[in-house]
Amino acid sequence: QVRLVETGGGLVQAGGSLTLSCEVSGIIFAVNVMCWYRQAPGKQRELVAGITNPGRTNNADSAKGRFTISRDNAKNTVYLQMNSLKPEDTATYYCNARLLGGRREYLELWGQGTLVTVSS
């Protein structure tokens, strides 16, 4: 019943901005880590950014200075603010959550993905 729902993808011109969101729904005991991954055709899925419940963040080198990950615990939502987008940022972005469900079971969940396309 626990699900991740991503929104915010779309088409944007190089240099533009997009904000992705990922909401966790269902009965949850605690959320430990939420991350954004991306995967472009023919490439390996890679970590973009992650954030822990206390607010510690980690960004991939490609995201530093351009992307900002944040969270709203009250809404069980994580965001990825992407600025200065480049064509090489084009990919399907996936939300990943590592959490404890209602029975304190460990869960690692993936969203369905949201496509980000950056044009030249």
Side-chain angles (χ1 to χ4, degrees):
Q1 193 65 31
V2 181
R3 297 287 186 271
L4 306 182
V5 181
E6 301 128 320
T7 59
L11 175 64
V12 64
Q13 193 173 0
S17 300
L18 283 175
T19 299
L20 309 181
S21 65
C22 175
E23 182 180 9
V24 182
S25 65
I27 301 174
I28 303 165
F29 180 80
V31 177
N32 297 321
V33 181
M34 296 187 71
C35 302
W36 286 99
Y37 289 77
R38 69 184 182 186
Q39 187 169 20
K43 294 186 177 181
Q44 189 176 13
R45 185 173 298 187
E46 63 177 355
L47 176 67
V48 178
I51 187 168
T52 65
N53 197 18
R56 299 175 184 176
T57 61
N58 180 58
N59 286 7
D61 289 340
S62 61
K64 292 179 180 177
R66 299 190 300 124
F67 296 179
T68 302
I69 188 169
S70 62
R71 75 191 191 286
D72 185 338
N73 288 338
K75 298 180 179 180
N76 292 321
T77 301
V78 66
Y79 305 93
L80 184 67
Q81 174 66 48
M82 304 186 293
N83 299 319
S84 301
L85 284 163
K86 305 174 181 179
E88 49 263 45
D89 295 318
T90 296
T92 299
Y93 286 70
Y94 297 92
C95 181
N96 172 269
R98 299 159 191 177
L99 52 83
L100 298 179
R103 295 181 180 272
R104 301 189 183 185
E105 71 275 22
Y106 173 78
L107 297 173
E108 182 175 355
L109 303 176
W110 292 91
Q112 81 285 355
T114 184
L115 178 62
V116 173
T117 303
V118 184
S119 65
S120 301

